[in-house]
Structures are given as C-alpha cells and as structure tokens.
Amino acid sequence: MHENRRFAPPAALVAAANVTADAYAAASADRIAFWEEQARRLDWARPWTTALEWEPPFARWFTGGLLNVAVNAVDRHVDAGHGDQVAIHWEGEPGDTRTITYARLKDEVCKAANALAELGVRAGDRVMIYLPMIPEAVFAMLACARLGAPHSVVFGGFSAEALRNRIEDAQARLLITADGGFRRGRPSGLKAAADEAAAGTGIERVLVVRRTGEAVPFAEDRDVWWHDVVDRQPAAHVPEYFDAEQPLFILYTSGTTAKPKGILHTSGGYLTQAAYTHHAVFDLKPDTDVYWCAADVGWVTGHSYIVYGPLANRATQVMYEGTPDTPHRGRFWEIVQKYRVSILYTAPTTIRTFMKWGDDLPAGFDLSSLRLLGSVGEPINPEAWIWYRDHIGGGRTPVVDTWWQTETGAIMISPLPGVTDCKPGSAQVALPGIAADVVDGGGVPVPDGGGGYLVLTEPWPAMLRGIWGDPGRYADTYWSRFAEQGYYFAGDGAKKDQDGDLWLLGRVDDVMNVSGHRISTTEVESALVSHPHVAEAAVVGATDPTTGQGIVAFVILRGGAPDGGAAPAAELRDHVAREIGPIAKPRQILVVPELPKTRSGKIMRRLLRDVAENRSLGDVTTLQDSSVMDLISARLPAAS
Ligand code: WTA
C-alpha cells in the first residue's frame, strides 16, 4: 500500500494537550534536568542527590532518593481525595464484573502486603506471579512493590517448564497463582502447572487465588488460599521507603539463546518514565478519560501501561480477562461502548485480526467515546494503521505507534498526539528526553533516507539495570555491538525517511515476533530437539499476514521415528507447547532429510526463510552442500 497521507492532531486535542512541542526543546536544552522535572511528578520521601550516575553500561538514576512505588500508584491519590474514583473497571470473560476504586485498591494492596509479610516475604525477596488477568494480579504486583520485594510475573500462557526455569533463575520463595482463569468460554487451569513448576524448587509457599472454582490439587503444608490469608488482614500497612534503585521487578524475555533473560528494572527511574510517557503519549486526563490497555500483565506492556504508568497517573482504566472473540467477535467494541473508553492501546496483530473479521463488527457499536488509539509490539503496516483510525477511531483519532522493549521499560519512540502529524506505519520520533538514532554496521549515523540498526545513544531513566544474575550477558548483549560509540543496540533494524522520521523494520537477530510476543528461534529449536524423535531442528520466523511472523520449523527425525506427514508434526507442536507454551507452537513443521549449513556448520536460516515464505532461494554458494536445498524443496508437500 502506498500511503502518503499525514494526519494532523485534532484541534481540540492540541488545545488541551498534556505535552506540547516545548518539551522537545526543554529536553534537548538539558536532558537530565528534564528528567528531574518528570521525577517530580512522583512523591518522594527524600529527594535524590544525584540525577544520573553513568558508568557505562551501568546507570543509576535519582540516587539518594527514597520512595515507595505502591504509595505513588495508590495511596497518594486516596490521600489527595480521589478515593472514590474508579481505578479499575474489571470485566471477566464470562461477563462478571468488579469495580475497584482507588480507596478499595489501597485496602486490597495493603492486605496483600500484610499477607505476604506474614508468609515470610521481606524486601529483596523475589516473588513469582503466575495469574490470569484478574485484579489480584495488580494487587499482588503492588503488594510486592510496597514491600520492596521484586516480582517476576510469568504470563499464564507459559508452560510449567517455562515457569520452573524462571523460578529457579530468580530463586523465588513464594509463588502466587490461581486455580485458573476463563479463556475462550472455558475455565483454563493454572494450578496443576504451578505445582509441577514449583516441585523441587526453592518455592516454600504458594498463594492461590480462587477464580474458576474448579477443584485443584492443594498441598496443605505449602499452599494457602488468597481468601483465607489476605482477606483477614488489616487494611492498614505502614509503607517503608526504598532507595530509587531498589529492584522493582524481573521480567523474563527471549534473547538469542535458549535461556530467557531476566530483565531487571528498579524503582525511581522506571516509575518516572512509565508515568511520564503514559501522560505524554496517551494524553491522559485523569478526571475524564477511560483508558484501556488490552495487554496481559505477563508482558512488559502490562507492567508499564496497565499497572505502573496509569496508576501513578491516577487513571480510570478497563482490565479485561479474556480473548477478543468470546463470547462473540464484537467483545472489545462492546467493552468500549459499555465503559465509554476514550483511549485504547493494543497490538497490530489484534488490529489485523479485527480487519479480517470485517468492518461490520465495530460498526455495530458506539465507539464515539474514543479519542486516541495506540499500537505496540511490532511494526504496524499502513493498511492496519488506516483501518484502525477509520473503523475504530471514526476517522478522528490520532494513532500513536509506540516503539519500546522489555529492556527499555517504557515507550521510547512515538508521536506525541497533540504535536506530531502522524504518518501511518512509522513510530516517527524519539520522545523528549530520549536519544535514538539509526547507524550503519560501523556505528555511523545514516543520513535521512538511509537504513541500518536502531541504537539508543544516551541512558534513559527506565532502562534495564541488568540481566538478573548475569552482568556479563548484559554488557555483551546490548553494549558490545557498538562498544566504541557507547550505544545501546536494540536488536531492531530501522530506517530514517526523508523527514528524519523512524520506521522500525523488525528484529535483526534470531528473535521472532509472533503476535507481538518475542520468541527466540533457539528456544524453540531446543524444545524440539528435546523430543526423543528429533535429531536436529532449525526454526525461522516467516512473514505472516496476521501474526506478523509465524514459526516454521524444519526438523530432521531420528532413525526409527515415524516418517513424515501430519502425525509427527502434530505431536511435535504439542511438545513445544508443553515445553514453552502454546504461543511458541510452530505454525508449520517440515520434516526434512538435511539442513542447509555453511562450511563452519552454521545453519543458514536465511535460506530456510526463503523456503518458508515460498520465495526463490537467495545465494546458496556458501552452503557446504548446495544440493541440500533441492532435497528440502522436494519434501515440501509433506508439510503439515
Ligand atoms: C518490537 C514490547 C515496531 C521490536 C513493548 C522490539 C516494535 C520488540 C514496536 C520488543 C513498534 C515493539 N514497532 N516494532 N511500535 N514495539 N516492537 O520486549 O522488535 O515484548 O525489539 O516489548 O518488539 O518486544 P517486547
């Protein structure tokens, strides 16, 4: 699609915008002073003495400052007289609802904090959270924050095996889970997987929320029900104030190896940038807006734009438990209509799914409350951008395409809705206070019109502070590629157009992006080779019209394994779901006799991607044996 239109911000939005063009000027005049100004949006029990200590690649922000993140997200709003304001309109998938005001949120968080303390949680202890999208997920995260105990939320769609690896890496002592959640019209269990994951690890207690009411195994000496332990606690809890660099959470994300990285975020800088970006990019007016981020709290988007950013800004928000197609495909639009949602933040893959379902669905609901739309997780193609604006935003709303990562903690590149003329498909400009560039392989910035690697050239408040337990990997993964220049390497390709606006082009490493979820090729490969019938496996991300990329696996079976066809493919797909989680299931598994390798034995994924995308093959001259590709192509009809 050739799309040259530009969409100027609506006049009403410009007139009342939270952030104007002056912010860019202020930030470029003095970047550190700009972030100090933003940090003053928070309540500090003691002000910081140094805004930034930068010993590349290690940053410390707002050192000497003391704050409590949960107090900033909850208590201070109640203290300021907003206790009756709704914090969360929660909508369960079966249609049950809960309305949680800030006063109620404060009580729930305090009770949960008291319960965690009773269960032995102390500042610095890691707490695992494996929950569906229910309010207790938010209560639990904030209770941990209140106690200075870093949480590590694991997406409920991950397998027992994936949860166990994370428990062990984080050396967590407490696990918070539920009997299950509702998904696609049915209860979907979590407790059995939680038990399997916890067995034999350092987990001492398991706190279980009752959500579905289904019977679940219960270890009397280890497990406790949330309603037994939390509900009887006093609703008062005296907060402790922590150093700005107190660890707030560890969130695991896929890298280029089979072992996920525990991305560590701390308190003061993270909350400053989460709150500022939410205020600036979504233009939130706490007294009138109804905000909805349709992500899961298991991903960084849920951390920064359901929990920390919006609550620090006193948002009224919607939280939804289920899938967009249950009980019908108009569910999202029904929710927007019901709560008069004014700001919606979702992923391109979801938008493309809605496009496939047809224009009539959203047209059947009153979406006139929407004034701003956001997109995150993967590049948004101009067709999807325009459809989103026209069919969801009524042709009125700006669409902000926000680029960031688990590692960056908060939005880095995005239009400002009251300032920027939006360009469909482009994330456009670094936010005020953020320094991004596109460089060539030698680290030299490319001119307008050029393409290369996206880098961040200055430290930012919400930047990751490291990889849990592995400082070497932190320096190596992000800071070694452009060590000479001292740039952070994001792992994304990008180009600058003639106006200097940024266009993100996807990952340049072995990380796939499937429906906005990061999955490493090596992680799926090691899951496949852990199956007794698989000798070797190579995995690529092939372009997919809905999910961005789809996982295509090429496997060599061991002697004695049943030959090609659908049966082993189905078995292997299930095996990957068991090892990692259903999100990592290959879309397609091709049984092949050989894999294309270079003379040094490296698998040439580029060629496999050509096969997976039905393209004619690229250069095969570096292959050790170029006839391999003929063998693979000959096997294609055996695909499942
Ligand atoms: C991709 C999600 C293009 C990118 C917040 C990045 C995007 C990875 C965009 C991080 C966007 C995220 N346009 N690509 N607006 N947003 N990405 O850690 O490849 O789950 O490196 O964080 O998603 O994924 P993560």
Side-chain angles (χ1 to χ4, degrees):
M1 182 190 207
H2 200 67
E3 178 54 72
N4 279 324
R5 277 178 291 170
R6 300 288 170 266
F7 297 90
L13 207 160
V14 176
N18 284 354
V19 174
T20 64
D22 300 346
Y24 294 108
S28 52
D30 188 340
R31 207 172 48 83
I32 305 295
F34 171 83
W35 283 119
E36 288 190 275
E37 184 66 29
Q38 305 318 322
R40 285 185 203 107
R41 304 171 55 76
L42 306 179
D43 279 4
W44 295 80
R46 189 176 77 197
W48 57 93
T49 48
T50 314
L52 171 64
E53 288 172 37
W54 178 223
E55 288 166 33
F58 296 98
R60 297 167 58 79
W61 283 86
F62 309 119
T63 48
L66 292 180
L67 81 168
N68 185 294
V69 168
V71 166
N72 272 283
V74 185
D75 302 39
R76 63 169 174 153
H77 307 316
V78 179
D79 295 346
H82 300 289
D84 292 338
Q85 180 182 333
V86 174
I88 300 173
H89 289 291
W90 179 79
E91 180 90 13
E93 199 192 71
D96 51 334
T97 61
R98 289 163 72 180
T99 306
I100 297 151
T101 61
Y102 273 95
R104 173 82 194 283
L105 181 61
K106 178 170 177 250
D107 290 352
E108 297 292 344
V109 172
C110 287
K111 286 185 189 177
N114 283 323
L116 294 186
E118 184 182 302
L119 292 169
V121 175
R122 299 287 173 266
D125 289 349
R126 275 79 62 202
V127 174
M128 303 304 291
I129 299 178
Y130 186 57
L131 285 172
M133 280 289 285
I134 54 178
E136 283 76 8
V138 179
F139 306 159
M141 290 165 76
L142 291 170
C144 290
R146 197 170 179 99
L147 296 173
H151 54 69
S152 184
V153 183
V154 176
F155 173 58
F158 274 120
S159 68
E161 188 59 27
L163 175 59
R164 167 197 287 278
N165 292 336
R166 287 157 174 76
I167 289 172
E168 286 182 336
D169 190 78
Q171 296 173 292
R173 300 170 56 196
L174 183 93
L175 168 63
I176 305 178
T177 188
D179 50 2
F182 287 95
R183 222 174 151 69
R184 300 227 146 80
R186 279 179 289 132
S188 163
L190 278 179
K191 181 62 167 54
D195 286 347
E196 192 186 329
T201 68
I203 291 291
E204 292 158 13
R205 306 306 297 267
V206 180
L207 180 56
V208 191
V209 180
R210 181 177 283 157
R211 164 63 184 137
T212 62
E214 300 232 296
V216 291
F218 211 77
E220 294 299 338
D221 52 342
R222 186 198 64 184
D223 300 350
V224 282
W225 286 110
W226 179 287
H227 55 260
D228 283 341
V229 181
V230 178
D231 290 358
R232 65 171 162 76
Q233 301 292 332
H237 177 266
V238 180
E240 194 182 327
Y241 292 90
F242 297 98
D243 191 275
E245 287 296 336
Q246 176 76 12
L248 179 63
F249 65 84
I250 301 167
L251 184 58
Y252 286 84
T253 188
S254 292
T256 53
T257 70
K259 190 177 184 298
K261 302 176 285 199
I263 303 299
L264 174 67
H265 283 287
T266 60
S267 301
Y270 169 80
L271 193 63
T272 294
Q273 195 181 332
Y276 173 70
T277 53
H278 181 260
H279 165 82
V281 173
F282 298 110
D283 192 51
L284 181 95
K285 309 286 194 258
D287 295 325
T288 48
D289 275 315
V290 178
Y291 165 85
W292 181 19
C293 168
D296 190 286
V297 290
W299 309 109
V300 75
T301 305
H303 283 58
S304 302
Y305 299 105
I306 293 177
V307 182
Y308 294 110
L311 295 176
N313 290 337
R314 187 171 50 88
T316 291
Q317 68 179 317
V318 169
M319 179 176 179
Y320 173 55
E321 179 185 32
T323 61
D325 56 356
T326 307
H328 58 80
R329 290 175 165 184
R331 188 63 190 272
F332 266 38
W333 317 126
E334 186 178 71
I335 291 174
V336 168
Q337 172 178 286
K338 174 173 175 186
Y339 294 103
R340 305 288 301 154
V341 172
S342 54
I343 304 167
L344 176 66
Y345 192 29
T346 189
T349 203
T350 312
I351 298 163
R352 289 190 296 263
T353 302
F354 292 137
M355 281 173 81
K356 253 192 340 206
W357 290 347
D359 305 351
D360 295 353
L361 272 169
F365 295 88
D366 177 6
L367 306 182
S368 62
S369 54
L370 287 168
R371 68 179 192 94
L372 180 56
L373 303 174
S375 170
V376 61
E378 51 179 318
I380 178 164
N381 46 314
E383 293 90 329
W385 196 104
I386 294 282
W387 187 89
Y388 194 27
R389 179 182 158 98
D390 284 351
H391 294 275
I392 306 305
R396 314 173 304 275
T397 60
V399 175
V400 288
D401 174 12
T402 64
W403 179 90
W404 59 295
Q405 308 177 298
T406 305
E407 291 87 341
T408 68
I411 299 172
M412 302 293 280
I413 303 173
S414 167
L416 284 178
V419 178
T420 319
D421 283 1
C422 289
K423 265 184 203 176
S426 171
Q428 298 188 279
V429 278
L431 288 179
I434 299 300
D437 209 337
V438 180
V439 298
D440 64 20
V444 179
V446 301
D448 288 351
Y453 303 102
L454 181 73
V455 292
L456 302 168
T457 60
E458 298 287 349
W460 62 101
M463 67 191 278
L464 75 165
R465 298 302 195 263
I467 294 177
W468 184 255
D470 202 345
R473 190 174 178 196
Y474 165 68
D476 189 52
T477 308
Y478 305 107
W479 302 93
S480 66
R481 181 75 178 76
F482 298 107
E484 207 177 301
Q485 297 80 5
Y487 294 162
Y488 169 92
F489 172 53
D492 279 29
K495 65 176 188 187
K496 279 185 212 168
D497 67 16
Q498 295 301 343
D499 305 325
D501 280 329
L502 301 175
W503 296 70
L504 279 306
L505 303 173
R507 303 289 306 190
V508 294
D509 52 15
D510 292 332
V511 174
M512 298 173 286
N513 190 325
V514 182
S515 299
H517 301 149
R518 273 166 72 169
I519 300 167
S520 113
T521 53
T522 18
E523 215 177 328
V524 180
E525 285 164 5
S526 36
L528 285 166
V529 296
S530 74
H531 189 280
H533 286 160
V534 176
E536 259 192 276
V539 165
V540 297
T543 303
D544 184 287
T546 306
T547 60
Q549 286 188 312
I551 304 176
V552 179
F554 297 81
V555 298
I556 303 176
L557 297 178
R558 284 184 195 283
D563 196 18
E571 159 68 21
L572 293 179
R573 293 176 77 244
D574 289 346
H575 178 72
V576 173
R578 276 193 303 275
E579 290 289 309
I580 306 175
I583 53 168
K585 260 191 189 182
R587 178 185 81 185
Q588 210 177 2
I589 291 192
L590 303 170
V591 176
V592 294
E594 281 299 337
L595 289 170
K597 290 186 185 154
T598 62
R599 288 174 188 90
S600 60
K602 200 171 179 308
I603 292 173
M604 291 191 71
R605 288 211 178 74
R606 178 173 56 79
L607 293 179
L608 293 175
R609 211 171 296 125
D610 287 342
V611 172
E613 294 176 350
N614 299 316
R615 261 197 311 275
S616 55
L617 292 182
D619 184 9
V620 295
T621 51
T622 53
L623 275 182
Q624 195 205 355
D625 172 4
S626 63
S627 65
V628 165
M629 293 315 293
D630 300 332
L631 285 173
I632 291 177
S633 304
R635 279 300 188 100
L636 285 189
S640 72

